[in-house]
Amino acid sequence: MKLALVAFVLVVACVPASAQKSAADAARRKLPSADKIVGDYLKAAGGKKRLASVADAAYEWAVVGEGDTPAGRATSHLKAPSSVHLSVSGEGGESGAGVTTRVAWTRSADGTVRTLTDAAAKRARLRATLEASRLVDFRKRNLLAVVVGVEAAAGEQAYAVEFRGRDEARVRYLFGASSKLPLEIRDERGRTLARFSDYRPENGVMEPHRAELSLEDGSAVKLELKSVRHNAGVSESVFDAPAAAGFDARALLKEVMEKEPEVAVKFDEYTFTVKHTERELDDKGEAKKETSKVWEVFMAPNGWSIGKLALVDGRPLPPEKAAREEKRVADFLAAHAEAKPPETRKGAGGFQINFGDGMGFGLADLLRACDFVSPRREKFQGREAVVFDFRPRADFHPKNRSDEILSKIVGLVWIDMAEKVIMRIEARLVGDFKIGGGLLLKIAPGAGFAFERRRLEDGYWVPRSYHWNASGKGFLVMKRTVYEITEWDNYKRFRTESGDATLDAPKREP
């Protein structure tokens, strides 16, 4: 088999570029399936049953410096289904990283903690789920896998399997064609995240005794395994981000609720654009359909708003359609010039996340339903912020459909310290959520959203982006994965009154 793989690589290198893609596609069809490759790994690593029995693991490592000299020590922990932790101590200090279903964070040697967001956080959560579960039943965790080719790793040919999350995260594992074991982990850009070698059995499980890890700051660390304990009873708190002293998250949220109405933008004084992009993914995690629309939004002083469609899939409207849009906006504003303000639904403090069908939550709901974990100071959008995790309280009992959502989500909140304003909030579903008893729709775990604001120069806080992803199946839609992004931009103030052109200058934290 190895000779055949080497021959494949040499042949592809010699054919014209125009023929390489078709040759690669044909060769890929002859490769083992992702399930076969993962199944061979599970057998080689100790067997699926044995690997599934490892609920957690605690590792002790030696840090290896130049010339294989000792350069410090490290510890790492895994806990199923999706928690990992690493701490590295050396002459420069102690650095580390951790991932749970709620959060992905890093800590540099100088003590600076950073909570990962967007693509970096999604990739970290995907990798943590794969590592902590040891790939056992990965498809039941709503993950996809695709064999993408053959690559060289650790001196042997390896099958490249790309694991994909429903949120578009991707991580590539390279499994040795001979050893069947993971030799490298790479990101979607091909950057090596980890290398493993010198596999030996530990309590019947094949563990790498040498590893080289790429850290989030771009540095790398070489490790040599000294000991491992399986089912060591690792505490959940091991994976939490380092907490800073002196923060009361509940009290801080109450301040935010009081402050919220004062910072809300007066939209009747602004125009802005809204871009909405929707991608539908196929069963391989590839975008099979993508649409985008951009609206120019106008708001009347009485609170009525109208959006004029300007772009569809990046292209301006044809002249006739553009003229109809202009007329539609003018007619709407004229018809509503004397109308009463529209009814709005706001949670306590003016902040409300809506899921549709009358379901959603505000800050008061979070206070009622959740525990708050690991408050910490960070820089976000160039400003001083406090970040903390939230999760449902163990004694919380849902009373309605919105409460049912609260009982199944975990997330993060970023708060601007100077102005006590929510800068960003994330939440992810950790259990499935059924609509119509599951007949209409069953949303799989992993669905989530991220809402972010930014501060305008005149002091108002405005929406910046809203990301939403979900995978579900039901009677009407047998199976569908959707990823949506809404982005607000180009805020322009067109009306001011004397003495009301700006808010106070940005406050500085004492």
Side-chain angles (χ1 to χ4, degrees):
M1 175 60 75
K2 180 180 287 189
L3 291 176
L5 296 176
V6 173
F8 164 71
V9 174
L10 292 176
V11 169
V12 170
C14 296
V15 298
S18 59
Q20 286 187 16
K21 184 177 185 301
S22 59
D25 289 343
R28 187 177 296 121
R29 288 193 292 270
K30 297 179 182 179
L31 293 174
S33 68
D35 289 326
K36 176 66 166 61
I37 294 171
V38 173
D40 287 345
Y41 149 71
L42 295 176
K43 293 176 183 177
K48 180 178 178 179
K49 184 176 181 180
R50 186 183 295 273
L51 295 179
S53 70
V54 180
D56 62 54
Y59 299 82
E60 295 284 342
W61 306 83
V63 179
V64 180
E66 294 293 331
D68 284 349
T69 58
R73 61 182 294 273
T75 60
S76 62
H77 301 85
L78 302 177
K79 190 178 182 70
S82 54
S83 296
V84 301
H85 171 260
L86 172 69
S87 179
V88 180
S89 299
E91 291 184 0
E94 183 177 352
S95 59
V99 185
T100 70
T101 53
R102 301 186 310 275
V103 62
W105 58 271
T106 64
R107 180 182 61 202
S108 59
D110 64 4
T112 300
V113 178
R114 184 167 72 95
T115 301
L116 304 184
T117 61
D118 300 325
K122 293 173 184 177
R123 182 174 61 246
R125 287 195 297 269
L126 172 58
R127 182 178 167 188
T129 298
L130 296 170
E131 293 182 18
S133 67
R134 300 176 187 265
L135 306 186
V136 174
D137 293 330
F138 69 91
R139 291 194 185 277
K140 291 183 179 180
R141 304 181 194 282
N142 205 30
L143 303 179
L144 308 170
V146 178
V147 180
V148 294
V150 179
E151 301 182 32
E156 68 170 299
Q157 295 301 310
Y159 297 121
V161 177
E162 189 169 83
F163 294 93
R164 301 172 179 178
R166 300 289 182 172
D167 58 1
E168 298 190 309
R170 299 188 177 193
V171 172
R172 184 171 297 188
Y173 269 58
L174 272 60
F175 295 90
S178 299
S179 67
K180 316 298 184 186
L181 299 170
L183 304 178
E184 286 191 22
I185 300 176
R186 297 177 184 172
D187 65 12
E188 68 279 5
R189 296 168 295 177
R191 183 173 68 98
T192 298
L193 304 176
R195 291 189 175 95
F196 305 106
S197 60
D198 191 16
Y199 277 89
R200 303 179 216 162
E202 297 284 350
N203 304 315
V205 175
M206 296 296 287
E207 296 279 13
H209 282 58
R210 284 188 172 269
E212 183 176 340
L213 308 179
S214 297
L215 304 181
E216 194 66 31
D217 62 4
S219 63
V221 58
K222 294 182 178 180
L223 305 174
E224 181 178 317
L225 185 63
K226 294 302 181 183
S227 68
V228 57
R229 292 180 296 133
H230 295 146
N231 295 322
V234 179
S235 171
E236 290 284 354
S237 62
V238 168
F239 307 96
D240 289 338
F247 287 113
D248 183 337
R250 288 184 172 276
L252 190 56
L253 271 182
K254 290 178 180 178
E255 285 190 69
V256 170
M257 290 168 60
E258 295 175 357
K259 180 75 174 177
E260 188 77 19
E262 299 177 19
V263 299
V265 68
K266 297 179 180 179
F267 281 110
D268 57 308
E269 298 178 3
Y270 288 80
T271 62
F272 52 94
T273 60
V274 177
K275 179 180 180 181
H276 183 78
T277 303
E278 180 174 328
R279 287 194 284 272
E280 187 170 350
L281 309 183
D282 61 20
D283 58 1
K284 292 184 179 180
E286 300 281 3
K288 66 178 181 181
K289 180 181 179 182
E290 177 170 325
T291 59
S292 68
K293 294 181 179 180
V294 177
W295 290 270
E296 297 172 353
V297 180
F298 306 84
M299 296 196 71
N302 58 5
W304 287 95
S305 66
I306 182 68
K308 182 182 73 175
L309 185 61
L311 300 172
V312 176
D313 295 333
R315 295 185 295 272
L317 299 182
E320 290 185 3
K321 289 187 177 181
R324 287 200 298 268
E325 276 294 290
E326 292 279 2
K327 184 177 185 305
R328 183 179 66 85
V329 170
D331 290 347
F332 178 91
L333 293 176
H336 290 78
E338 304 298 329
K340 295 181 179 179
E343 293 185 6
T344 58
R345 297 181 60 211
K346 293 183 178 180
F351 188 94
Q352 182 83 10
I353 294 292
N354 291 311
F355 293 96
D357 197 25
M359 295 183 291
F361 66 85
L363 299 185
D365 299 310
L366 286 182
L367 286 170
R368 176 172 55 88
C370 297
D371 287 327
F372 303 100
V373 182
S374 302
R376 53 209 182 263
R377 289 179 179 268
E378 295 187 23
K379 280 278 189 180
F380 189 68
Q381 295 184 15
R383 298 175 63 85
E384 295 292 334
V386 169
V387 187
F388 54 83
D389 311 0
F390 64 85
R391 61 191 180 197
R393 290 199 336 264
D395 60 350
F396 175 65
H397 300 293
K399 297 180 180 179
N400 50 48
R401 295 290 284 163
S402 291
D403 279 2
E404 286 183 32
I405 293 178
L406 282 170
S407 70
K408 294 183 178 182
I409 62 172
V410 297
L412 298 159
V413 179
W414 285 254
I415 294 177
D416 183 275
M417 272 303 294
E419 300 192 1
K420 304 300 186 295
V421 177
I422 287 184
M423 306 173 76
R424 181 182 174 98
I425 182 169
E426 297 180 6
R428 278 168 295 283
L429 196 64
V430 291
D432 57 36
F433 188 77
K434 299 177 181 179
I435 298 176
L439 294 176
L440 293 179
L441 186 63
K442 179 180 178 182
I443 302 175
F449 74 85
F451 174 71
E452 187 171 320
R453 286 168 161 167
R454 67 184 178 94
R455 189 183 193 277
L456 298 179
E457 291 184 359
D458 57 14
Y460 289 118
W461 289 83
V462 296
R464 184 177 194 171
S465 62
Y466 180 82
H467 293 224
W468 162 259
N469 69 273
S471 177
K473 58 183 179 179
F475 179 73
L476 298 179
V477 180
M478 293 309 296
K479 194 170 185 180
R480 191 179 183 216
T481 297
V482 175
Y483 187 76
E484 299 182 11
I485 308 171
T486 303
E487 300 166 287
W488 293 261
D489 203 359
N490 302 310
Y491 286 93
K492 296 178 182 179
R493 194 166 190 172
F494 66 88
R495 183 176 71 83
T496 62
E497 297 174 4
S498 176
D500 189 38
T502 62
L503 295 180
D504 295 335
K507 298 178 181 179
R508 298 295 180 187
E509 186 183 355

